[in-house]
Amino acid sequence: MQLSREELLRAYRQMKVIREFEERLHIDIQTGEIAGFTHLYCGQEAVAVGVCEHLSTEDKIVSTHRGHGHCLAKGCDVNGMMAEIWGSRDGLCKGKGGSMHIADVDKGMLGANGIVGAGAPIAVGAGIAAKIDAKGHVAIAFSGDGACNQGTTFEAMNMAVVTKAACIFVFENNHYSEHTGFEYAVGTQKDIASRAEAFGMKVWRGDGTDFFSVFETMREVLDYVRVPGNGPAAVEFDTERFFGHFEGDPQRYRGPGELDRIRETRDCIKKFRASVTGAGLLTDADIDAVDADVMEAIETAVAKAKAAPRPTPEDVLEDVYISY
Amino acid sequence: MARMMYREAVLSTIAEEMERDPNVVVLGEDVVGGNGTAGGPEAIGGIWSTSAGLYGKFGGDRVIDTPISESAIVGAAAGLALSGKRPVAELMFADFIGVSLDQIWNQIAKFRYMFGGKTKCPAVIRMAWGAGYNAAAQHSQAAHQILTGMPGLKVVMPSTPADVKGLLRTAIRDDDPVIFLEHKALYGVKGEVPDDKDFMIPFGHARLSRAGNDVTIVSTGLLLGFCEAVADKLAAEGIGCDVIDLRTTSPIDEEAILDSVEVTGRLVVVDEAPPRCSLANDICAMVAEKAFASLKAPPLGVNPPHTPVPFARELETAYLPSIPKIEAAVRKVLSYR
Ligand SMILES: Cc1ncc(C[n+]2csc(CCOP(=O)(O)OP(=O)(O)O)c2C)c(N)n1
Ligand SMILES: [Mg+2]
């Protein structure tokens, strides 16, 4: 189904916001001003955006340690997110959560998560709630190829099938869990979707470096899961992470020229531009205008984050129901 | 004596014990790293570099990279231990005991007793713990307060490279399950370490790191250094502090604490876990029970507040016990009557 000009521009902008948000963090982290562990989503933008462009705020997502892309795609405020990562009081979580714990439940974003494999069971609960409410809403668990080996993920898949939860397991296979290869850590099948299939779910597969592949695949998946009584489904997207596992990773596991090659041939943003300009749907000028707009938005977000008030020692005891 | 970092003491002790005993095996996530990648194995050698080079030396049968499956890591350690091996399992972060708690609490901790004393379970579960890195609520926690409360586990918390060496060797040679808690802010700290390949420190023997007659300070881990700094500052004013490094929280060296309090009459326990049901409360209660007559002031705990560990620098700093907070507590017990 053909997307309108507005829809195309919006999807592109969403991907570009994630890309520039991450590229900028990659630079700013090197100054030492940003504290903590940061895992960048760069390279996987087509997955977050191709999934979330189908969702309303009533649909829920549960994310991972590599959560910035999911949060932005689901509608979390760019300024609030940047401020959170900078640890400021204006952050989405008042500086208490940081990069790994960004959440905005009102937007249907039930949290990034520092515990690998913790998200899928939470999505099952949200999917059961969606089933009970019977309004066609869904809950989505984003999981990596590493998280798919966690027992919690297996339990969640089986329980979703048993309870017919309106739940979708989106597996982002970027071929690595930290420094270990997918080929080593995922036994037998070398494939994640077939595991979900074995639990009794309908499964799909798509190219996670191609927005249109993700978007069209998700249309089918969602058409299926939004039908009351159908229960859960799973989808595996093959994708790439452009940076290290965390900022500071020496990436000794990469092959020679691997990063240049994936940036050259597997970049969802480049592919999107080539595809829409090639088909005459948008012009280079259209896309350049979005790029300029996004750069400005990121610049503003950083400026605001830096200027925002810092948390105070008294804030430690806020948001707890009792303190000793 | 050799000068080495805390993390090097971990690595060299494991290597020496693997050399000595073919039953010692290592398992955990990315303890090799690079398996199944173009770069090939040994990409990382553990995210804390505490297993670097082991795969090359001892091979994949004894240095096992696992998928992200903490429950199965600890469970496999249990099975290995019941099958004649001496597993040294790594949980990257102590916070991940949450994922593997059944295997720790209901399995390895209980075998010896539950099976009527007929079995050994020589498993070591190592994990990096503690705050100070702005790693936020799920990568900064203390776990000793939970694990010390579990019958059947030995819980070790080294504060120096030499103690890592002596205590880890004891842990690996011990026939019971041992939780070995490595403070992540100490990995880069250097110290003198004995060369003797049989150097061992028995469990339940605290170390007196500063001596004085006016107040007893008990701690371990990162905060021990803070306590020493306070003791050194007060020494210049003529106030003497006994600083006791617990080394192990189970078994605990009650005698060392009681002997000291009998002289000083004043106790401060500095603990990185929140106050309720904490090591600090445990020790204060023990001293109140067993040395009440010696006390000149109520025993005092210094803990973070009863909250998760916050992310932002300012918040984490405010959360953690600090040198000024410890000093204030010491002055408070000194000024009581
Ligand atoms: C329970 C748990 N175990 C281990 C870790 C450490 N860790 C963080 S991310 C990660 C790899 C996750 O791989 P994958 O699921 O493929 O996600 P990706 O990093 O590729 O996005 C690991 C092992 C963790 N945070 N939580
Ligand atoms: Mg991955």
Side-chain angles (χ1 to χ4, degrees):
Chain A
M1 204 163 59
Q2 188 52 59
L3 288 163
S4 71
R5 178 184 160 79
E6 281 63 42
E7 286 168 327
L8 286 171
L9 282 170
R10 194 191 126 87
Y12 178 76
R13 188 178 197 284
Q14 290 287 77
M15 291 201 292
K16 187 69 177 172
V17 166
I18 299 172
R19 173 65 54 91
E20 294 308 329
F21 191 92
E22 302 293 66
E23 294 278 4
R24 180 60 189 261
L25 277 175
H26 179 70
I27 293 167
D28 285 348
I29 282 166
Q30 288 164 27
T31 68
E33 283 176 276
I34 295 176
F37 297 143
T38 322
H39 307 85
L40 300 180
Y41 190 73
C42 221
Q44 304 181 201
E45 296 88 345
V47 179
V49 176
V51 170
C52 292
E53 282 301 281
H54 290 287
L55 307 182
S56 75
T57 35
E58 305 305 319
D59 296 311
K60 309 283 197 286
I61 69 166
V62 186
S63 171
T64 69
H65 58 287
R66 198 174 303 289
H68 304 167
H70 306 137
C71 296
L72 288 164
K74 192 68 173 64
C76 291
D77 176 51
V78 180
N79 297 331
M81 279 185 56
M82 191 63 89
E84 185 61 31
I85 294 164
W86 278 79
S88 103
R89 207 156 188 268
D90 288 354
L92 270 185
C93 308
K94 303 184 200 164
K96 289 197 168 119
S99 164
M100 272 194 287
H101 306 296
I102 295 173
D104 194 344
V105 175
D106 293 341
K107 295 254 161 61
M109 201 291 143
L110 307 193
N113 209 312
I115 301 298
V116 170
I122 298 171
V124 174
I128 294 174
K131 184 190 107 178
I132 293 170
D133 293 344
K135 290 180 186 152
H137 301 312
V138 300
I140 292 182
F142 287 99
S143 306
D145 49 288
C148 85
N149 296 320
Q150 194 70 283
T152 48
T153 309
F154 284 85
E155 292 172 26
M157 287 199 278
N158 187 53
M159 190 159 145
V161 170
V162 167
T163 58
K164 289 200 178 294
C167 180
I168 300 165
F169 298 91
V170 173
F171 290 106
E172 292 181 80
N173 185 350
N174 63 10
H175 320 129
Y176 296 101
S177 54
E178 290 203 342
H179 315 268
T180 295
F182 160 74
E183 293 286 320
Y184 174 83
V186 178
T188 57
Q189 308 273 353
K190 308 288 179 208
D191 166 295
I192 301 166
S194 55
R195 287 183 170 181
E197 206 161 24
F199 279 106
M201 265 182 271
K202 247 177 106 101
V203 301
W204 280 260
R205 294 175 179 81
D207 179 355
T209 69
D210 176 2
F211 169 80
F212 296 100
S213 169
V214 176
F215 189 77
E216 292 309 325
T217 305
M218 285 309 295
R219 189 197 304 281
E220 289 178 26
V221 177
L222 281 151
D223 281 349
Y224 175 79
V225 176
R226 288 196 198 279
V227 175
N230 272 358
V235 51
E236 176 176 356
F237 292 114
D238 192 77
T239 184
E240 305 287 350
R241 110 166 114 68
F242 285 177
F243 287 116
H245 167 65
F246 59 95
E247 284 305 274
D249 175 3
Q251 302 189 67
R252 285 191 291 265
Y253 46 81
R254 301 265 195 197
E258 178 178 329
L259 281 170
D260 290 339
R261 180 175 48 76
I262 59 176
R263 284 251 187 196
E264 193 49 44
T265 63
R266 302 263 290 157
D267 182 338
C268 58
I269 297 209
K270 275 190 193 157
K271 283 186 177 183
F272 186 99
R273 182 192 273 255
S275 155
V276 293
T277 54
L281 300 169
L282 297 175
T283 63
D284 277 315
D286 291 332
I287 290 188
D288 290 344
V290 175
D291 287 355
D293 184 44
V294 167
M295 294 308 282
E296 201 181 306
I298 299 299
E299 198 58 53
T300 306
V302 172
K304 283 190 166 168
K306 286 188 181 181
R310 303 299 305 171
T312 65
E314 293 72 52
D315 294 336
V316 172
L317 292 182
E318 239 182 50
D319 305 314
V320 280
Y321 69 92
I322 191 162
S323 61
Y324 300 99
Chain B
M1 288 288 208
R3 205 170 157 69
M4 65 175 74
M5 281 189 264
Y6 187 95
R7 67 153 53 87
E8 293 167 334
V10 175
L11 173 59
S12 62
T13 309
I14 297 174
E16 286 160 14
E17 291 304 294
M18 290 187 82
E19 198 84 60
R20 175 182 173 270
D21 181 352
N23 286 323
V24 177
V25 299
V26 165
L27 69 161
E29 294 158 16
D30 278 319
V31 293
V32 182
N35 272 312
T37 72
E42 290 275 45
I44 193 88
I47 69 154
W48 309 108
S49 309
T50 46
S51 46
L54 295 181
Y55 176 88
K57 235 183 259 167
F58 301 104
D61 275 357
R62 292 179 66 198
V63 186
I64 306 164
D65 248 348
T66 70
I68 308 178
S69 310
E70 283 79 8
S71 190
I73 292 170
V74 181
L80 281 158
L82 292 182
S83 309
K85 305 297 176 201
R86 291 188 174 272
V88 180
E90 175 179 292
L91 298 183
M92 261 179 212
F93 289 82
D95 313 69
F96 307 161
I97 63 165
V99 185
S100 55
L101 201 57
D102 177 67
Q103 293 293 340
I104 296 175
W105 189 26
N106 286 318
Q107 311 305 326
I108 63 165
K110 294 195 165 62
F111 292 152
R112 173 163 147 175
Y113 186 83
M114 213 164 54
F115 297 168
K118 288 192 200 118
T119 191
K120 305 173 194 171
C121 185
V124 179
I125 317 290
R126 299 175 38 239
M127 55 191 88
W129 73 284
Y133 271 69
N134 308 103
Q138 297 171 344
H139 285 74
S140 304
Q141 296 171 92
H144 61 272
Q145 73 282 24
I146 299 172
L147 297 163
T148 303
M150 290 180 190
L153 298 178
K154 295 178 178 173
V155 182
V156 183
M157 303 178 75
S159 311
T160 68
D163 280 7
V164 165
K165 175 78 42 171
L167 293 165
L168 184 54
R169 197 185 313 283
T170 305
I172 295 173
R173 296 189 192 179
D174 198 286
D175 283 340
D176 288 313
V178 179
I179 303 289
F180 199 83
L181 296 165
E182 297 160 19
H183 200 294
K184 56 176 94 76
L186 296 177
Y187 275 130
V189 169
K190 283 190 172 169
E192 297 293 326
V193 172
D195 297 320
D196 178 5
K197 291 212 165 105
D198 287 312
F199 168 63
M200 291 167 74
I201 298 172
F203 293 164
H205 287 255
R207 176 176 69 96
L208 191 66
S209 86
R210 294 289 185 278
N213 290 333
D214 300 312
V215 59
T216 303
I217 309 177
V218 178
S219 191
T220 185
L222 172 71
L223 301 180
L224 185 87
F226 294 13
C227 298
E228 290 171 340
V230 170
D232 293 344
K233 181 173 176 198
L234 295 180
E237 295 176 24
I239 300 169
C241 303
D242 262 359
V243 177
I244 295 176
D245 178 0
L246 274 181
R247 285 178 165 159
T248 62
T249 59
S250 188
I252 188 168
D253 190 348
E254 292 192 354
E255 215 173 282
I257 301 167
L258 294 170
D259 284 352
S260 171
V261 172
E262 270 157 27
V263 175
T264 63
R266 302 176 200 271
L267 172 69
V268 174
V269 188
V270 181
D271 182 5
E272 207 184 302
R276 293 297 312 280
C277 303
S278 67
L279 184 67
N281 277 6
D282 183 62
I283 292 173
C284 289
M286 186 273 291
V287 166
E289 276 176 29
K290 299 188 178 171
F292 188 71
S294 308
L295 285 172
K296 298 175 194 155
L300 196 57
V302 180
N303 299 78
H306 188 69
T307 73
V309 185
F311 162 66
R313 284 199 175 98
E314 294 83 349
L315 296 175
E316 195 190 56
T317 303
Y319 170 92
L320 268 179
S322 60
I323 291 174
K325 283 184 219 169
I326 298 166
E327 184 183 336
V330 171
R331 289 193 190 280
K332 188 172 168 192
V333 299
L334 281 167
S335 64
Y336 184 88
R337 273 189 300 180

